[in-house]
Amino acid sequence: MPEHWEVSRLSQFFTLQRGFDITKDQQTEGGEIPVVSSGGISSYHNRATARGPGVIVGRKGTAGSVHFVTTDYWAHDTTLWVNDFKGNHQKFIYYLLQVLDLKRFDTGSANPTINRNLIHPERVAFPRYDEQATIVAYIDKITKDLGITIAATQHEISLLREYRTRLIADVVTGKMDVRHISLPDESNIETIFGEDIEPLDNETCALDEVECAVEIEE
């Protein structure tokens, strides 16, 4: 950590406040203000409880989740929201909260619950505002590039799954004649690849938010 970064209690840099209760019946149909609950935007209303941009933390239910909204919003009772950024960059605080592992502040049993009074004393390090902005710009760029890669990968996975489904259908319905295809002797697989090959079964691979299951069928 750079020596010039300030280390202090979290509440020195920003503070959290409990959200406001609102039922579905109380919400105005056709409203454009997002109602942010612990799991994210859950519905819309015609009135806000806070100005955007905003940072919201799941307090109850999906406790410890962190959300960022650019517009005015209604912070639901199941959340904690940053009511004072104290001159700091909103999105820097959003990224910081993501790495603090807020779930460890869970005080609930059957239903996970986070108390803001346990988070406020946490000691954290903050750079100057200009450094915060630089860090945010860097993270935004990297995550945007990763998002593009993930989207392209998901598209390729979708195409492969479609091809796999079509291939199986063509073979089992006789549309594709596979009688001329010679299958390799399983005993020679090690020789073909030049190394020991372990049999695969329901191999699972994951890339951040991309999860795909590759089923090896006999």
Side-chain angles (χ1 to χ4, degrees):
M1 180 188 69
E3 294 182 359
H4 64 279
W5 284 27
E6 182 181 356
V7 179
S8 186
R9 292 161 56 99
L10 182 145
S11 57
Q12 179 71 22
F13 304 108
F14 63 94
T15 52
L16 295 163
Q17 178 179 326
R18 181 170 171 170
F20 306 88
D21 192 23
I22 185 171
T23 65
K24 289 285 187 181
D25 292 338
Q26 293 172 326
Q27 296 173 32
T28 302
E29 187 176 351
E32 297 181 352
I33 302 296
V35 177
V36 186
S37 63
S38 63
I41 297 176
S42 56
S43 55
Y44 291 86
H45 190 39
N46 67 342
R47 188 162 62 89
T49 58
R51 300 288 300 272
V55 177
I56 305 97
V57 174
R59 180 186 70 84
K60 198 171 185 179
T62 314
S65 59
V66 186
H67 311 284
F68 182 83
V69 292
T70 58
T71 64
D72 296 351
Y73 62 97
W74 181 292
H76 194 269
D77 178 58
T78 57
T79 69
L80 300 171
W81 60 285
V82 178
N83 66 341
D84 189 355
F85 290 95
K86 300 188 176 184
N88 291 294
H89 199 293
Q90 296 97 330
K91 208 163 191 183
F92 178 82
I93 290 175
Y94 164 69
Y95 286 132
L96 174 71
L97 286 171
Q98 288 191 56
V99 301
L100 285 184
D101 187 22
L102 297 178
K103 292 181 180 179
R104 59 194 168 95
F105 296 104
D106 176 19
T107 59
S109 52
N111 191 14
T113 304
I114 289 179
N115 188 329
R116 60 178 173 154
N117 294 322
L118 298 178
I119 301 176
H120 282 161
E122 182 78 0
R123 294 186 68 80
V124 293
F126 261 61
R128 298 186 305 265
Y129 184 90
D130 59 330
E131 289 184 82
Q132 294 178 28
T134 300
I135 291 170
V136 167
Y138 173 78
I139 296 175
D140 282 348
K141 181 183 184 307
I142 293 299
T143 53
K144 180 181 179 181
D145 292 342
L146 288 174
I148 293 173
T149 302
I150 289 170
T153 303
Q154 288 177 324
H155 179 64
E156 291 178 2
I157 290 171
S158 177
L159 292 177
L160 286 171
R161 284 175 173 163
E162 290 179 9
Y163 172 73
R164 177 181 180 273
T165 301
R166 186 171 64 252
L167 178 64
I168 292 174
D170 288 348
V171 172
V172 299
T173 58
K175 293 181 179 179
M176 179 183 292
D177 189 355
V178 296
R179 288 174 296 176
H180 63 286
I181 299 177
S182 58
L183 298 176
D185 186 349
E186 291 185 1
S187 63
N188 293 329
I189 290 180
E190 179 179 339
T191 303
I192 295 172
F193 290 95
E195 56 183 4
D196 292 338
I197 303 298
E198 294 293 333
L200 299 178
D201 183 21
N202 292 333
E203 177 185 353
T204 302
C205 58
L207 172 59
D208 194 18
E209 297 174 316
V210 181
E211 294 187 357
C212 59
V214 181
E215 299 178 356
I216 307 302
E217 296 191 357
E218 297 182 355

